[in-house]
Amino acid sequence: MEGRDGPSRSLCGIEIAKHKGARYRLGPELEICGYGCSDHYYESDTLLHSFQVLAKLLESPAAQDIICDVGMPVMHRNIRYSCRVIFLNKKILLIRPKMILANSGNYRELRWFTPWSRARHVEEYFLPRMIQEVTGQETVPFGDAVLATKDTCLGTEICEELWAPNSPHIEMGLDGVEIFTNSSGSHHVLQKAYIRVDLVNSATAKNGGIYILANQKGCDGDRLYYDGCAMISVNGDTVAQGSQFSLDDVEVLVATLDLEDVRTYRAEISSRNLLASRVNSYPRVKVNFALSCSDEICVSISEPIQWRYHSPEEEICLGPACWLWDYLRRSKQAGFLLPLSGGTDSSATACIVYSMCRQVCLAVKNGNQGVLTDVRRIVNEDTYTPEVPQEFCRRIFTTCYMASENSSQDTRNRAKFLAEQIGSYHINLNIDVAVKAVVGIFSIVMGKSPQFRVYGGSSRENLALQNVQARIRMVLAYLFAQLSLWARGMPGGLLVLGSANVDESLRGYLTKYDCSSADLNPIGGISKTDLKNFLQCCIENFQLTSLRSILSAPPTAELEPLADGQVSQIDEMDMGMTYAELSIYGKLRKVAKAGPYSMFCKLINMWKEICSPREVASKVKHFFRMYSVNRHKMTTLTPAYHAENYSPDDNRFDLRPFLYNSAWTWQFRCIDKQVSKLESKEAKPLCEDVD
């Protein structure tokens, strides 16, 4: 089983699987065209090219004497389906359409496909002429059926079908199917692997059987990273585990299993056998082929293993780094530029790029020729081989500290020290000249000069002067990204990285079109709390001691004047809430689907030891005011790595209005009524005691 799309990768996976002795090869969902085609699925070209690739696979000598299971879109009777096409020796055995589509969160499958709703029903599918010429078949079975080989029975699930309450493997297993296959397009979310592995092992623990799962791996052209985790399970135990994060284009996982183990396991589960005795049968496609050999008695059987999970900090270290590498090599740019402020967020982004450099060096050391080819193209040097992460980092990563008169020496030093430890090419510059020029233009035209609050200015003046600094940093970031390599005598341009975390995006604590506006944001779906834990992990694993001072410093935007050379602006004071509170608000708003009133009701219990109902009401109201006032900023949010289920990404994950009535009149009135009721209940016993 392998990840990532593309005909050459599919063929490579088939060749490796066959070389390792496999008799059945499973690939990920929609692997031929790629899962992330989105509205390109509407185009007839996508269907045409998918069949052209299928023809190449059918004709390939490598695809002979092995059952191949590939994914592609298929149009049947003018309806588009997401399908598995299963073939053997230039003959298509079955086209199995997906029956349960994913249509929540980031998934929009019902936009492009229709689920096959006719359980245990098979129709004739008339093949395109280009396929007929290869297979010699005019029609093939299309629908909900299973394969009956000489020695066993195989049934197919596709991604979401495993996650559904009525998964097909349940009834298939009761009908005697012994091997279940699942081709997935499942993207990474922090700690999601636990759920995925549990679903697979549970499927075979209750019903017996062998379960094979293949998943996409890599960036498929958008905000998602598909995190592999290919696996093989038998009777509730994992026997083979694929990697979750790697730079390999193709990974093949194989296992040798004994079908008799499935049969003896099932035979003693009486409840299962009673249900099986009255289950409706699946149509069977007979296949004159065996997955086992008669002389395999001495072959070693794959033994159960303990799944090795990554910690959240490791997932942050590896997932976004792999996503950045895919984006860099596919965009054909020469590297990244990051405005490095010396704070937690930009430092976390820098560490993710450093992690990427470490993974690249490790992949090259392990003989990954594809990664080496990409590296040499990126650095424009045909003989270059990356060996030391810091040296490679200096070639492809530029960091830039953009000081102003409001910046402290402490943050300048922190940024410089971190850049030295990870090896980035570091630039120090001062933006004061540009800021004064822009403000000067306004003063000349309007005849008035805005002032910071500490110098007698209004809140509007104070905010405008902060925004000018932030937006000038964005302009300079793109200027340096385009021309800094040219100035150093090197070809190419750089991708600009942003570093606004998920909590700040939710609260809107960022300037529209400031340094949060970039080409990519690897931490935009990660909370401040998780980022701090990640930096601590980097201290321990990468020996980046410069991060200690960064972690101990209070988060600050440094956009207001210093007080005696010291920072006077603190993020949490500016926001009127802590990052810990923001994480709770975010999870309740998105994951728990709580509006203002529901959130208040949940929090008065969660925070009953630390806050009165009136204090909870005040906090909830403040959050929703700030959230609604700033929601418009989400429409311009930099594409960010999706890592949390409470992401406020407006593009496709969190679809909400961006123009609100920020007074929330009805909702807040309901909260106030509830507060009054609670306070009157508390006051009543007190009054009775006085009487």
Side-chain angles (χ1 to χ4, degrees):
M1 297 171 289
E2 71 272 0
R4 302 194 188 184
D5 57 284
S8 61
R9 296 182 184 122
S10 295
L11 193 55
C12 178
I14 293 169
E15 290 173 342
I16 296 172
K18 192 174 177 182
H19 177 73
K20 291 186 174 184
R23 306 276 283 172
Y24 179 94
R25 175 270 179 196
L26 173 72
E29 185 175 8
L30 293 165
E31 64 176 302
I32 284 181
C33 58
Y35 183 82
C37 289
S38 298
D39 280 2
H40 290 293
Y41 286 123
Y42 291 136
E43 301 166 5
S44 60
D45 283 14
T46 304
L47 295 167
L48 169 66
H49 299 325
S50 295
F51 273 112
Q52 289 171 336
V53 171
L54 177 62
K56 293 291 185 184
L57 295 177
L58 285 163
E59 291 174 325
S60 172
Q64 308 309 306
D65 299 319
I66 181 172
I67 297 178
C68 297
D69 187 337
V70 300
M72 58 180 279
V74 176
M75 185 85 79
H76 176 55
R77 299 184 181 179
N78 298 332
I79 302 172
R80 190 185 307 102
Y81 297 97
S82 171
C83 294
R84 303 305 300 171
V85 179
I86 307 171
F87 61 90
L88 170 68
N89 294 335
K90 295 186 179 180
K91 301 291 183 183
I92 294 176
L93 305 174
L94 172 68
I95 299 178
R96 201 283 202 174
K98 192 171 184 178
M99 302 180 70
I100 303 172
L101 301 185
N103 208 60
S104 60
N106 285 299
Y107 294 102
R108 295 287 181 275
E109 291 180 4
L110 279 170
R111 180 179 173 91
W112 309 298
F113 301 109
T114 300
W116 180 256
S117 57
R118 308 184 71 180
R120 298 177 178 81
H121 177 78
V122 175
E123 299 175 352
E124 281 189 323
Y125 176 77
F126 287 82
L127 293 170
R129 281 175 294 178
M130 73 175 83
I131 303 299
Q132 291 183 28
E133 291 170 1
V134 177
T135 66
Q137 300 165 288
E138 186 177 272
T139 63
V140 296
F142 184 103
D144 183 22
V146 297
L147 299 182
T149 65
K150 288 181 175 182
D151 51 358
T152 189
C153 189
L154 298 92
T156 297
E157 286 190 325
I158 306 176
C159 198
E160 180 72 7
E161 293 171 359
L162 169 65
W163 300 72
N166 58 337
S167 295
H169 72 256
I170 299 170
E171 300 246 321
M172 285 193 293
L174 294 174
D175 190 33
V177 172
E178 296 176 329
I179 301 174
F180 312 104
T181 67
N182 187 302
S183 53
S184 284
S186 180
H187 65 75
H188 175 236
V189 173
L190 291 179
Q191 302 293 275
K192 182 180 177 180
Y194 282 92
I195 305 172
R196 191 186 291 138
V197 172
D198 184 60
L199 284 171
V200 171
N201 286 335
S202 296
T204 59
K206 289 189 295 183
N207 207 357
I210 296 167
Y211 205 106
I212 310 170
L213 181 139
N215 188 27
Q216 300 267 8
K217 186 161 63 178
C219 168
D220 205 12
D222 57 16
R223 293 161 172 79
L224 308 179
Y225 179 81
Y226 298 90
D227 59 333
C229 291
M231 66 178 292
I232 301 173
S233 171
V234 58
N235 297 339
D237 293 319
T238 303
V239 295
Q241 173 185 353
S243 63
Q244 187 173 12
F245 309 105
S246 81
L247 304 185
D248 295 332
D249 274 343
V250 177
E251 180 184 20
V252 177
L253 199 63
V254 297
T256 303
L257 301 169
D258 190 345
L259 290 168
E260 289 301 316
D261 289 341
V262 175
R263 292 158 188 164
T264 54
Y265 184 89
R266 285 178 169 178
E268 66 176 358
I269 307 175
S270 59
S271 59
R272 177 214 168 265
N273 298 334
L274 285 170
L275 291 170
S277 66
R278 52 180 183 264
V279 74
N280 294 324
S281 295
Y282 277 80
R284 277 164 163 73
V285 176
K286 294 181 180 179
V287 183
N288 188 25
F289 186 78
L291 298 189
S292 59
C293 297
S294 58
D295 58 351
E296 287 184 339
I297 193 168
C298 296
V299 175
S300 298
I301 302 299
S302 300
E303 296 294 330
I305 61 172
Q306 191 68 36
W307 189 279
R308 197 282 187 190
Y309 294 98
H310 291 291
S311 67
E313 295 76 30
E314 289 173 331
E315 291 188 19
I316 294 170
C317 183
L318 298 171
C322 291
W323 182 72
L324 284 179
W325 174 249
D326 270 356
Y327 201 102
L328 177 60
R329 68 192 185 112
R330 291 171 64 179
S331 68
K332 295 181 169 42
Q333 297 301 300
F336 300 109
L337 180 137
L338 170 69
L340 183 60
S341 68
T344 300
D345 296 334
S346 62
S347 297
T349 300
C351 290
I352 287 170
V353 177
Y354 179 62
S355 171
M356 183 200 80
C357 294
R358 288 173 60 92
Q359 291 184 68
V360 167
C361 291
L362 181 61
V364 170
K365 182 180 178 182
N366 291 337
N368 190 319
Q369 192 60 43
V371 172
L372 180 58
T373 300
D374 287 331
V375 166
R376 288 174 173 173
R377 179 182 50 78
I378 290 167
V379 302
N380 196 42
E381 190 174 322
D382 292 338
T383 59
Y384 174 70
T385 299
E387 295 177 352
V388 180
Q390 287 86 348
E391 188 275 332
F392 179 55
C393 191
R394 186 170 181 82
R395 286 176 176 258
I396 59 100
F397 189 32
T398 298
T399 51
C400 185
Y401 182 81
M402 302 183 185
S404 75
E405 61 186 5
N406 303 319
S407 303
S408 68
Q409 189 62 42
D410 288 341
T411 53
R412 182 195 297 267
N413 291 339
R414 290 179 200 131
K416 181 175 179 292
F417 191 13
L418 177 59
E420 288 173 353
Q421 288 198 317
I422 65 175
S424 65
Y425 182 85
H426 191 61
I427 298 170
N428 273 307
L429 62 87
N430 192 292
I431 67 171
D432 286 337
V433 174
V435 172
K436 289 174 181 174
V438 171
V439 175
I441 292 171
F442 175 85
S443 300
I444 291 170
V445 173
M446 302 304 296
K448 295 189 75 174
S449 296
Q451 301 293 324
F452 281 106
R453 185 187 292 114
V454 295
Y455 301 138
S458 64
S459 295
R460 180 169 294 277
E461 293 170 69
N462 195 65
L463 182 59
L465 290 173
Q466 292 182 66
N467 290 343
V468 167
Q469 298 170 70
R471 288 175 176 138
I472 282 175
R473 286 188 171 117
M474 184 270 287
V475 173
L476 288 172
Y478 274 97
L479 177 64
F480 276 79
Q482 287 182 296
L483 294 178
S484 61
L485 293 184
W486 165 78
R488 294 163 59 190
M490 300 164 66
L494 302 173
L495 294 164
V496 178
L497 296 181
S499 53
N501 64 61
V502 70
D503 300 320
E504 290 171 348
S505 297
L506 176 65
R507 161 63 173 74
Y509 187 64
L510 52 94
T511 300
K512 202 173 187 179
Y513 304 116
D514 69 346
C515 278
S516 63
S517 298
D519 295 311
L520 296 169
N521 182 358
I523 68 164
I526 305 173
S527 71
K528 192 82 162 187
T529 302
D530 285 338
L531 288 175
K532 287 184 174 181
N533 293 336
F534 162 62
L535 291 185
Q536 186 60 47
C537 180
C538 289
I539 295 173
E540 297 165 4
N541 296 329
F542 299 161
Q543 289 74 53
L544 298 178
T545 55
S546 57
L547 295 173
R548 290 198 181 101
S549 61
I550 292 170
L551 278 172
S552 62
T556 173
E558 288 196 333
L559 294 171
E560 295 189 34
L562 302 175
D564 298 323
Q566 299 299 312
V567 172
S568 60
Q569 183 182 25
I570 304 300
D571 287 352
E572 291 185 335
M573 291 176 60
D574 262 8
M575 293 191 298
M577 60 191 75
T578 67
Y579 283 105
E581 289 171 342
L582 256 177
S583 288
I584 294 171
Y585 297 147
K587 289 173 183 174
L588 290 176
R589 183 197 69 99
K590 179 63 180 173
V591 181
K593 314 297 187 294
Y597 181 74
S598 296
M599 186 180 292
F600 165 76
C601 292
K602 291 178 184 294
L603 287 177
I604 55 174
N605 290 302
M606 289 175 61
W607 290 348
K608 61 185 177 183
E609 303 298 331
I610 56 174
C611 293
S612 68
R614 187 166 294 278
E615 289 171 332
V616 172
S618 177
K619 287 175 178 288
V620 169
K621 289 179 183 179
H622 180 60
F623 164 71
F624 272 98
R625 284 193 197 98
M626 294 301 99
Y627 158 74
S628 55
V629 165
N630 290 296
R631 180 67 191 184
H632 66 95
K633 296 178 182 178
M634 297 303 96
T635 63
T636 62
L637 207 62
T638 296
Y641 181 95
H642 180 84
E644 291 276 19
N645 279 329
Y646 61 90
S647 167
D649 170 33
D650 184 71
N651 174 261
R652 65 187 293 174
F653 184 71
D654 187 37
L655 304 182
R656 315 244 177 171
F658 56 85
L659 178 61
Y660 278 94
N661 174 3
S662 59
W664 299 87
T665 311
W666 186 272
Q667 293 90 336
F668 287 1
R669 189 182 300 142
C670 290
I671 291 174
D672 291 338
K673 286 180 180 178
Q674 192 62 40
V675 169
S676 298
K677 286 182 182 178
L678 292 169
E679 289 179 340
S680 64
K681 282 182 181 179
E682 290 177 1
K684 244 182 185 178
L686 185 62
C687 294
E688 290 171 359
D689 289 343
V690 171
D691 292 338

